Amino acid sequence: MANTMTHPSLLFLALLLLFFNSSVAAVMKFNVISYGAKADGTTDSTKAFLAAWSQACASTIPASIYVPKGRFLLRNVDFRGQCKNTAISIRIDGTLVAPVDYRVIGNVDNWLSFENVDGVSIYGGKLDGKGTGLWACKNSGKSCPSGATSLSISNSKNIVIMGLTSLNSQMFHIVINGCRNVKMQGVKVSAPGNSPNTDGIHVQLSSSVTILNSRIQTGDDCISIGPGATNLWMENIACGPGHGISIGSLGKDQNEAGVQNVTVKTATFIGTQNGVRIKSWARPSNGFASNIVFQHVVMKNVQNPIVIDQNYCPGNKNCPDQVSGVKVSDVTYQDIHGTSATEVAVKFDCSSKHPCTGIRLEEVKLTYKNEAAQASCSHAGGTVSGLVQPTSCL
Ligand SMILES: *[C@@H]1O[C@H](CO)[C@@H](O)[C@H](O)[C@H]1NC(C)=O
């Protein structure tokens, strides 16, 4: 053994490793203050953030952007790749604030957008989307901008979002679109229960996304899962107010990527419109949702705790044959208990053309006003095991 260690090529390898390790440890640091950002909440710091980003992105060694305490006013910012390194961390001790006048960012898709990046981690930070003005406009029935998503990550991979708080987004809070390997942990989303279209986290066309230990209070879906989401894991999620965790709406388009291998494990829904939902348009489509697991879920006063709705057609418009082409299969509901705010706690309203198959109910107990709730099924098939209340209609 001693002899092999002194072999010249091994010695070279050891030196190489040493060099490699020390270069990995080195990090280029960029403080947004050095680029002119002001923590006063009123000075536009957009240029400073972009300047720090372009330096970090151009660094050939790992880079770190630091945002200190205080409030930083930002217009819409596009953090674009490709970058010269695959390890950019952004540490935020402060709050990023959107313009109070919703028109400034209301017509762009995203307030803060990361696109085409690999290896970006965001630690901490608060995003204050200042959505109240836009919601008031929308609720007044006037014509208003559709609003910006607060944080969008698109066409990217190897992303970490840890300990981020998103407040009062104009539209969606966080969108993951076209990404691979995204880890979100300890995310907090907060907006009033009546704020329009403020989905908490939306995931689509993405694989290997995990959302852990996150608390979402908002006016639309806590988590919405769009076409092309695969290998999605959600664990320890608290939702409410909000519209629950929703797979869909799927099947809006004829040609659509399916949703596959989605797990929700350990979740609490408090006073939400839905608990766990799968929803598809009553339109022709080749979309599908399969291998879905909902387990260890507590419902408190939830209007529709378990629901599959394949007859979505708002205003009964643009649904030519009023039947969904989306195939829903292998959906497991395991250890789900609590209270329903309506009599029908379990509703499987599936497509007459493509009935739901492989629905499994196991240890489900939902009550309505301290009594057994009801279940309603159409075109739904599957199996039941263990105690299931309301009595299954599969
Ligand atoms: C399902 O997704 C999980 C991650 O959420 C992954 O670990 C697992 O390998 C996937 N299963 C299949 C069959 O792809």
Short mmCIF file of all heavy atoms in Angstrom, two decimals, residues 207-266:
data_model
loop_
_atom_site.label_atom_id
_atom_site.label_comp_id
_atom_site.label_asym_id
_atom_site.label_seq_id
_atom_site.Cartn_x
_atom_site.Cartn_y
_atom_site.Cartn_z
N SER A 207 -39.16 17.96 -14.49
CA SER A 207 -39.02 16.67 -13.82
C SER A 207 -38.11 16.80 -12.60
O SER A 207 -37.29 17.71 -12.52
CB SER A 207 -38.46 15.63 -14.79
OG SER A 207 -37.15 15.97 -15.14
N SER A 208 -38.28 15.85 -11.67
CA SER A 208 -37.51 15.83 -10.43
C SER A 208 -37.58 17.16 -9.68
O SER A 208 -36.58 17.83 -9.46
CB SER A 208 -36.05 15.47 -10.70
OG SER A 208 -35.99 14.23 -11.35
N VAL A 209 -38.78 17.50 -9.33
CA VAL A 209 -39.00 18.71 -8.52
C VAL A 209 -39.46 18.26 -7.14
O VAL A 209 -40.38 17.43 -7.04
CB VAL A 209 -40.06 19.62 -9.17
CG1 VAL A 209 -40.35 20.83 -8.29
CG2 VAL A 209 -39.62 20.05 -10.57
N THR A 210 -38.81 18.73 -6.08
CA THR A 210 -39.29 18.41 -4.73
C THR A 210 -39.62 19.70 -3.99
O THR A 210 -38.92 20.70 -4.11
CB THR A 210 -38.26 17.61 -3.90
OG1 THR A 210 -37.08 18.39 -3.78
CG2 THR A 210 -37.89 16.30 -4.56
N ILE A 211 -40.72 19.63 -3.27
CA ILE A 211 -41.16 20.78 -2.46
C ILE A 211 -41.35 20.27 -1.05
O ILE A 211 -42.21 19.42 -0.80
CB ILE A 211 -42.49 21.37 -3.00
CG1 ILE A 211 -42.35 21.74 -4.49
CG2 ILE A 211 -42.91 22.59 -2.19
CD1 ILE A 211 -43.68 22.11 -5.17
N LEU A 212 -40.51 20.71 -0.13
CA LEU A 212 -40.55 20.19 1.23
C LEU A 212 -40.86 21.30 2.23
O LEU A 212 -40.47 22.46 2.04
CB LEU A 212 -39.19 19.58 1.62
CG LEU A 212 -38.60 18.51 0.70
CD1 LEU A 212 -37.24 18.07 1.24
CD2 LEU A 212 -39.55 17.32 0.60
N ASN A 213 -41.50 20.90 3.32
CA ASN A 213 -41.67 21.79 4.49
C ASN A 213 -42.11 23.20 4.11
O ASN A 213 -41.48 24.17 4.52
CB ASN A 213 -40.35 21.87 5.28
CG ASN A 213 -39.78 20.51 5.59
OD1 ASN A 213 -40.51 19.52 5.59
ND2 ASN A 213 -38.50 20.44 5.84
N SER A 214 -43.16 23.28 3.34
CA SER A 214 -43.56 24.60 2.87
C SER A 214 -44.98 24.93 3.31
O SER A 214 -45.83 24.05 3.44
CB SER A 214 -43.43 24.68 1.35
OG SER A 214 -42.05 24.60 1.01
N ARG A 215 -45.19 26.22 3.57
CA ARG A 215 -46.49 26.66 4.08
C ARG A 215 -47.05 27.69 3.12
O ARG A 215 -46.42 28.70 2.82
CB ARG A 215 -46.25 27.22 5.48
CG ARG A 215 -47.12 28.32 5.87
CD ARG A 215 -47.25 28.47 7.40
NE ARG A 215 -48.60 28.87 7.61
CZ ARG A 215 -49.62 28.02 7.78
NH1 ARG A 215 -49.40 26.76 7.90
NH2 ARG A 215 -50.84 28.45 7.88
N ILE A 216 -48.24 27.41 2.61
CA ILE A 216 -48.79 28.24 1.55
C ILE A 216 -50.18 28.73 1.92
O ILE A 216 -51.08 27.93 2.19
CB ILE A 216 -48.82 27.45 0.22
CG1 ILE A 216 -47.38 27.07 -0.16
CG2 ILE A 216 -49.47 28.27 -0.89
CD1 ILE A 216 -47.26 25.92 -1.10
N GLN A 217 -50.33 30.04 1.98
CA GLN A 217 -51.63 30.66 2.25
C GLN A 217 -51.88 31.62 1.11
O GLN A 217 -51.13 32.58 0.93
CB GLN A 217 -51.56 31.46 3.56
CG GLN A 217 -50.98 30.65 4.70
CD GLN A 217 -50.79 31.50 5.96
OE1 GLN A 217 -49.85 32.26 6.07
NE2 GLN A 217 -51.68 31.32 6.91
N THR A 218 -52.91 31.36 0.31
CA THR A 218 -53.08 32.22 -0.85
C THR A 218 -54.51 32.18 -1.39
O THR A 218 -55.39 31.54 -0.79
CB THR A 218 -52.03 31.85 -1.94
OG1 THR A 218 -51.96 32.89 -2.90
CG2 THR A 218 -52.36 30.53 -2.62
N GLY A 219 -54.75 32.86 -2.52
CA GLY A 219 -56.11 33.00 -3.03
C GLY A 219 -56.48 32.02 -4.13
O GLY A 219 -57.62 32.00 -4.58
N ASP A 220 -55.51 31.24 -4.60
CA ASP A 220 -55.80 30.24 -5.63
C ASP A 220 -55.13 28.93 -5.19
O ASP A 220 -54.92 28.72 -3.99
CB ASP A 220 -55.33 30.74 -7.00
CG ASP A 220 -56.16 30.16 -8.13
OD1 ASP A 220 -56.23 28.92 -8.23
OD2 ASP A 220 -56.74 30.92 -8.93
N ASP A 221 -54.77 28.06 -6.15
CA ASP A 221 -54.15 26.79 -5.75
C ASP A 221 -52.88 27.01 -4.91
O ASP A 221 -52.05 27.84 -5.26
CB ASP A 221 -53.76 25.98 -6.99
CG ASP A 221 -54.98 25.53 -7.79
OD1 ASP A 221 -56.07 25.43 -7.20
OD2 ASP A 221 -54.81 25.27 -9.00
N CYS A 222 -52.74 26.24 -3.85
CA CYS A 222 -51.48 26.32 -3.09
C CYS A 222 -50.34 25.82 -3.97
O CYS A 222 -49.31 26.46 -4.10
CB CYS A 222 -51.58 25.48 -1.82
SG CYS A 222 -52.65 26.25 -0.58
N ILE A 223 -50.58 24.64 -4.57
CA ILE A 223 -49.63 24.12 -5.56
C ILE A 223 -50.46 23.68 -6.75
O ILE A 223 -51.44 22.95 -6.59
CB ILE A 223 -48.81 22.94 -5.01
CG1 ILE A 223 -48.00 23.37 -3.78
CG2 ILE A 223 -47.87 22.38 -6.09
CD1 ILE A 223 -47.22 22.23 -3.10
N SER A 224 -50.08 24.13 -7.94
CA SER A 224 -50.77 23.65 -9.15
C SER A 224 -49.75 22.96 -10.04
O SER A 224 -48.61 23.40 -10.15
CB SER A 224 -51.48 24.79 -9.88
OG SER A 224 -50.60 25.86 -10.15
N ILE A 225 -50.20 21.86 -10.63
CA ILE A 225 -49.29 21.01 -11.39
C ILE A 225 -49.83 20.93 -12.81
O ILE A 225 -50.93 20.42 -13.04
CB ILE A 225 -49.21 19.63 -10.72
CG1 ILE A 225 -48.61 19.80 -9.31
CG2 ILE A 225 -48.38 18.65 -11.57
CD1 ILE A 225 -49.08 18.77 -8.33
N GLY A 226 -49.07 21.46 -13.74
CA GLY A 226 -49.53 21.53 -15.12
C GLY A 226 -48.99 20.38 -15.95
O GLY A 226 -48.28 19.50 -15.47
N PRO A 227 -49.33 20.37 -17.24
CA PRO A 227 -48.88 19.32 -18.15
C PRO A 227 -47.37 19.13 -18.11
O PRO A 227 -46.62 20.09 -17.93
CB PRO A 227 -49.31 19.86 -19.52
CG PRO A 227 -50.44 20.79 -19.24
CD PRO A 227 -50.17 21.39 -17.91
N GLY A 228 -46.95 17.87 -18.27
CA GLY A 228 -45.52 17.59 -18.38
C GLY A 228 -44.76 17.65 -17.07
O GLY A 228 -43.53 17.78 -17.08
N ALA A 229 -45.45 17.55 -15.94
CA ALA A 229 -44.75 17.46 -14.65
C ALA A 229 -44.54 15.98 -14.35
O ALA A 229 -45.49 15.21 -14.31
CB ALA A 229 -45.56 18.13 -13.56
N THR A 230 -43.29 15.57 -14.17
CA THR A 230 -43.01 14.17 -13.85
C THR A 230 -42.04 14.09 -12.68
O THR A 230 -41.23 14.98 -12.47
CB THR A 230 -42.39 13.41 -15.05
OG1 THR A 230 -41.17 14.04 -15.40
CG2 THR A 230 -43.32 13.43 -16.26
N ASN A 231 -42.16 13.00 -11.91
CA ASN A 231 -41.30 12.78 -10.74
C ASN A 231 -41.30 13.98 -9.79
O ASN A 231 -40.26 14.56 -9.48
CB ASN A 231 -39.87 12.46 -11.17
CG ASN A 231 -39.81 11.20 -12.03
OD1 ASN A 231 -40.82 10.52 -12.21
ND2 ASN A 231 -38.65 10.90 -12.55
N LEU A 232 -42.50 14.31 -9.37
CA LEU A 232 -42.69 15.46 -8.48
C LEU A 232 -42.99 14.95 -7.07
O LEU A 232 -43.84 14.08 -6.90
CB LEU A 232 -43.84 16.30 -9.04
CG LEU A 232 -44.42 17.46 -8.27
CD1 LEU A 232 -43.35 18.46 -7.88
CD2 LEU A 232 -45.48 18.15 -9.13
N TRP A 233 -42.28 15.47 -6.09
CA TRP A 233 -42.45 15.03 -4.71
C TRP A 233 -42.76 16.23 -3.82
O TRP A 233 -42.00 17.18 -3.81
CB TRP A 233 -41.15 14.36 -4.24
CG TRP A 233 -41.26 13.70 -2.90
CD1 TRP A 233 -41.08 14.29 -1.69
CD2 TRP A 233 -41.56 12.32 -2.64
NE1 TRP A 233 -41.28 13.39 -0.69
CE2 TRP A 233 -41.56 12.16 -1.24
CE3 TRP A 233 -41.84 11.22 -3.46
CZ2 TRP A 233 -41.82 10.93 -0.63
CZ3 TRP A 233 -42.10 10.00 -2.85
CH2 TRP A 233 -42.08 9.86 -1.46
N MET A 234 -43.87 16.15 -3.09
CA MET A 234 -44.22 17.22 -2.17
C MET A 234 -44.40 16.63 -0.78
O MET A 234 -45.16 15.68 -0.62
CB MET A 234 -45.53 17.89 -2.61
CG MET A 234 -45.42 18.65 -3.91
SD MET A 234 -47.02 18.82 -4.73
CE MET A 234 -47.06 17.32 -5.67
N GLU A 235 -43.74 17.14 0.19
CA GLU A 235 -43.82 16.56 1.53
C GLU A 235 -43.85 17.66 2.59
O GLU A 235 -43.12 18.64 2.49
CB GLU A 235 -42.60 15.64 1.76
CG GLU A 235 -42.68 14.89 3.07
CD GLU A 235 -41.65 13.76 3.17
OE1 GLU A 235 -41.01 13.43 2.15
OE2 GLU A 235 -41.48 13.24 4.29
N ASN A 236 -44.72 17.43 3.59
CA ASN A 236 -44.86 18.42 4.65
C ASN A 236 -45.32 19.77 4.13
O ASN A 236 -44.63 20.77 4.25
CB ASN A 236 -43.52 18.62 5.37
CG ASN A 236 -43.48 17.84 6.64
OD1 ASN A 236 -44.47 17.75 7.37
ND2 ASN A 236 -42.34 17.25 6.90
N ILE A 237 -46.52 19.75 3.60
CA ILE A 237 -47.06 20.97 3.01
C ILE A 237 -48.27 21.40 3.85
O ILE A 237 -49.15 20.59 4.14
CB ILE A 237 -47.53 20.73 1.55
CG1 ILE A 237 -46.42 20.08 0.71
CG2 ILE A 237 -48.05 22.02 0.93
CD1 ILE A 237 -45.23 20.92 0.43
N ALA A 238 -48.32 22.66 4.22
CA ALA A 238 -49.50 23.21 4.87
C ALA A 238 -50.14 24.18 3.89
O ALA A 238 -49.47 25.06 3.35
CB ALA A 238 -49.12 23.92 6.15
N CYS A 239 -51.44 23.98 3.66
CA CYS A 239 -52.15 24.79 2.66
C CYS A 239 -53.42 25.37 3.26
O CYS A 239 -54.21 24.65 3.85
CB CYS A 239 -52.48 23.91 1.45
SG CYS A 239 -53.65 24.59 0.25
N GLY A 240 -53.63 26.63 3.13
CA GLY A 240 -54.86 27.28 3.55
C GLY A 240 -54.60 28.64 4.17
O GLY A 240 -53.69 28.73 4.98
N PRO A 241 -55.38 29.66 3.75
CA PRO A 241 -56.42 29.54 2.75
C PRO A 241 -55.84 29.25 1.37
O PRO A 241 -54.66 29.43 1.15
CB PRO A 241 -57.10 30.91 2.77
CG PRO A 241 -56.04 31.85 3.24
CD PRO A 241 -55.21 31.05 4.21
N GLY A 242 -56.73 28.79 0.47
CA GLY A 242 -56.29 28.48 -0.89
C GLY A 242 -57.21 27.48 -1.53
O GLY A 242 -58.23 27.08 -0.93
N HIS A 243 -56.87 27.06 -2.73
CA HIS A 243 -57.72 26.12 -3.45
C HIS A 243 -57.17 24.69 -3.43
O HIS A 243 -57.59 23.85 -4.20
CB HIS A 243 -57.94 26.59 -4.90
CG HIS A 243 -58.74 27.87 -4.99
ND1 HIS A 243 -59.10 28.44 -6.18
CD2 HIS A 243 -59.25 28.68 -4.02
CE1 HIS A 243 -59.81 29.55 -5.94
NE2 HIS A 243 -59.89 29.71 -4.64
N GLY A 244 -56.17 24.43 -2.58
CA GLY A 244 -55.65 23.08 -2.43
C GLY A 244 -54.48 22.78 -3.34
O GLY A 244 -53.88 23.68 -3.94
N ILE A 245 -54.16 21.48 -3.42
CA ILE A 245 -53.11 21.04 -4.35
C ILE A 245 -53.82 20.45 -5.55
O ILE A 245 -54.65 19.55 -5.41
CB ILE A 245 -52.18 20.00 -3.69
CG1 ILE A 245 -51.39 20.64 -2.54
CG2 ILE A 245 -51.22 19.40 -4.73
CD1 ILE A 245 -50.41 19.72 -1.83
N SER A 246 -53.52 20.97 -6.72
CA SER A 246 -54.29 20.60 -7.90
C SER A 246 -53.39 20.13 -9.03
O SER A 246 -52.45 20.81 -9.40
CB SER A 246 -55.11 21.81 -8.37
OG SER A 246 -55.91 21.45 -9.46
N ILE A 247 -53.71 18.94 -9.54
CA ILE A 247 -53.09 18.51 -10.80
C ILE A 247 -54.06 18.97 -11.88
O ILE A 247 -55.18 18.50 -11.97
CB ILE A 247 -52.89 16.99 -10.81
CG1 ILE A 247 -51.91 16.60 -9.71
CG2 ILE A 247 -52.41 16.54 -12.19
CD1 ILE A 247 -51.67 15.11 -9.58
N GLY A 248 -53.63 19.96 -12.64
CA GLY A 248 -54.50 20.54 -13.65
C GLY A 248 -54.63 22.04 -13.46
O GLY A 248 -54.07 22.59 -12.52
N SER A 249 -55.32 22.63 -14.37
CA SER A 249 -56.17 21.97 -15.35
C SER A 249 -55.35 21.33 -16.48
O SER A 249 -54.52 22.01 -17.07
CB SER A 249 -57.13 22.97 -15.98
OG SER A 249 -57.81 23.65 -14.97
N LEU A 250 -55.65 20.05 -16.76
CA LEU A 250 -54.99 19.36 -17.86
C LEU A 250 -55.93 19.33 -19.06
O LEU A 250 -57.13 19.57 -18.93
CB LEU A 250 -54.64 17.92 -17.44
CG LEU A 250 -53.79 17.75 -16.18
CD1 LEU A 250 -53.58 16.26 -15.90
CD2 LEU A 250 -52.45 18.46 -16.32
N GLY A 251 -55.37 18.97 -20.20
CA GLY A 251 -56.20 18.69 -21.37
C GLY A 251 -56.83 19.89 -22.03
O GLY A 251 -57.85 19.78 -22.69
N LYS A 252 -56.22 21.04 -21.86
CA LYS A 252 -56.74 22.20 -22.59
C LYS A 252 -56.39 22.08 -24.07
O LYS A 252 -57.15 22.46 -24.94
CB LYS A 252 -56.18 23.49 -22.01
CG LYS A 252 -56.86 24.70 -22.56
CD LYS A 252 -56.44 25.98 -21.85
CE LYS A 252 -57.32 27.13 -22.34
NZ LYS A 252 -56.83 28.43 -21.89
N ASP A 253 -55.22 21.50 -24.32
CA ASP A 253 -54.76 21.34 -25.70
C ASP A 253 -54.89 19.90 -26.17
O ASP A 253 -54.82 18.96 -25.38
CB ASP A 253 -53.29 21.76 -25.82
CG ASP A 253 -53.12 23.23 -25.48
OD1 ASP A 253 -54.02 24.02 -25.82
OD2 ASP A 253 -52.11 23.57 -24.84
N GLN A 254 -55.06 19.75 -27.46
CA GLN A 254 -55.14 18.42 -28.06
C GLN A 254 -53.84 17.65 -27.81
O GLN A 254 -53.84 16.52 -27.36
CB GLN A 254 -55.41 18.57 -29.56
CG GLN A 254 -55.20 17.30 -30.36
CD GLN A 254 -56.20 16.21 -29.98
OE1 GLN A 254 -57.40 16.46 -29.90
NE2 GLN A 254 -55.72 15.01 -29.72
N ASN A 255 -52.72 18.30 -28.05
CA ASN A 255 -51.43 17.65 -27.86
C ASN A 255 -50.79 18.17 -26.60
O ASN A 255 -50.40 19.33 -26.53
CB ASN A 255 -50.51 17.94 -29.05
CG ASN A 255 -50.61 16.86 -30.07
OD1 ASN A 255 -50.51 15.67 -29.75
ND2 ASN A 255 -50.86 17.25 -31.31
N GLU A 256 -50.66 17.29 -25.63
CA GLU A 256 -50.21 17.78 -24.34
C GLU A 256 -49.38 16.72 -23.63
O GLU A 256 -49.71 15.53 -23.68
CB GLU A 256 -51.45 18.12 -23.51
CG GLU A 256 -51.18 18.98 -22.32
CD GLU A 256 -52.45 19.31 -21.57
OE1 GLU A 256 -53.11 20.30 -21.91
OE2 GLU A 256 -52.78 18.55 -20.66
N ALA A 257 -48.30 17.12 -22.99
CA ALA A 257 -47.49 16.19 -22.22
C ALA A 257 -48.25 15.74 -20.97
O ALA A 257 -49.02 16.51 -20.40
CB ALA A 257 -46.18 16.85 -21.82
N GLY A 258 -48.06 14.49 -20.57
CA GLY A 258 -48.78 13.96 -19.42
C GLY A 258 -48.12 14.30 -18.09
O GLY A 258 -47.01 14.81 -18.03
N VAL A 259 -48.87 14.00 -17.03
CA VAL A 259 -48.35 14.17 -15.67
C VAL A 259 -48.13 12.77 -15.10
O VAL A 259 -49.03 11.93 -15.17
CB VAL A 259 -49.34 14.95 -14.80
CG1 VAL A 259 -48.92 14.94 -13.34
CG2 VAL A 259 -49.48 16.38 -15.31
N GLN A 260 -46.97 12.52 -14.57
CA GLN A 260 -46.63 11.18 -14.16
C GLN A 260 -45.79 11.17 -12.88
O GLN A 260 -44.92 12.02 -12.72
CB GLN A 260 -45.81 10.55 -15.29
CG GLN A 260 -45.75 9.06 -15.21
CD GLN A 260 -45.43 8.44 -16.56
OE1 GLN A 260 -45.67 7.31 -16.77
NE2 GLN A 260 -44.88 9.19 -17.49
N ASN A 261 -46.10 10.21 -12.00
CA ASN A 261 -45.31 10.01 -10.79
C ASN A 261 -45.26 11.26 -9.91
O ASN A 261 -44.23 11.91 -9.79
CB ASN A 261 -43.88 9.54 -11.16
CG ASN A 261 -43.07 9.16 -9.94
OD1 ASN A 261 -43.62 8.90 -8.86
ND2 ASN A 261 -41.75 9.15 -10.07
N VAL A 262 -46.41 11.54 -9.33
CA VAL A 262 -46.52 12.70 -8.44
C VAL A 262 -46.92 12.21 -7.06
O VAL A 262 -47.88 11.44 -6.92
CB VAL A 262 -47.58 13.70 -8.97
CG1 VAL A 262 -47.83 14.81 -7.96
CG2 VAL A 262 -47.15 14.27 -10.32
N THR A 263 -46.19 12.60 -6.03
CA THR A 263 -46.51 12.19 -4.67
C THR A 263 -46.71 13.41 -3.77
O THR A 263 -45.90 14.33 -3.78
CB THR A 263 -45.36 11.34 -4.08
OG1 THR A 263 -45.19 10.17 -4.88
CG2 THR A 263 -45.65 10.92 -2.64
N VAL A 264 -47.81 13.37 -3.04
CA VAL A 264 -48.01 14.35 -1.96
C VAL A 264 -48.01 13.55 -0.67
O VAL A 264 -48.86 12.68 -0.47
CB VAL A 264 -49.37 15.09 -2.10
CG1 VAL A 264 -49.60 16.00 -0.91
CG2 VAL A 264 -49.43 15.87 -3.40
N LYS A 265 -47.04 13.80 0.18
CA LYS A 265 -46.92 13.03 1.43
C LYS A 265 -46.93 13.98 2.61
O LYS A 265 -46.13 14.91 2.67
CB LYS A 265 -45.61 12.24 1.39
CG LYS A 265 -45.37 11.41 2.62
CD LYS A 265 -44.07 10.68 2.52
CE LYS A 265 -43.78 9.96 3.83
NZ LYS A 265 -42.48 9.32 3.80
N THR A 266 -47.83 13.76 3.54
CA THR A 266 -47.96 14.58 4.73
C THR A 266 -48.31 16.02 4.38
O THR A 266 -47.45 16.86 4.14
CB THR A 266 -46.68 14.55 5.60
OG1 THR A 266 -46.26 13.20 5.74
CG2 THR A 266 -46.95 15.15 6.96
#
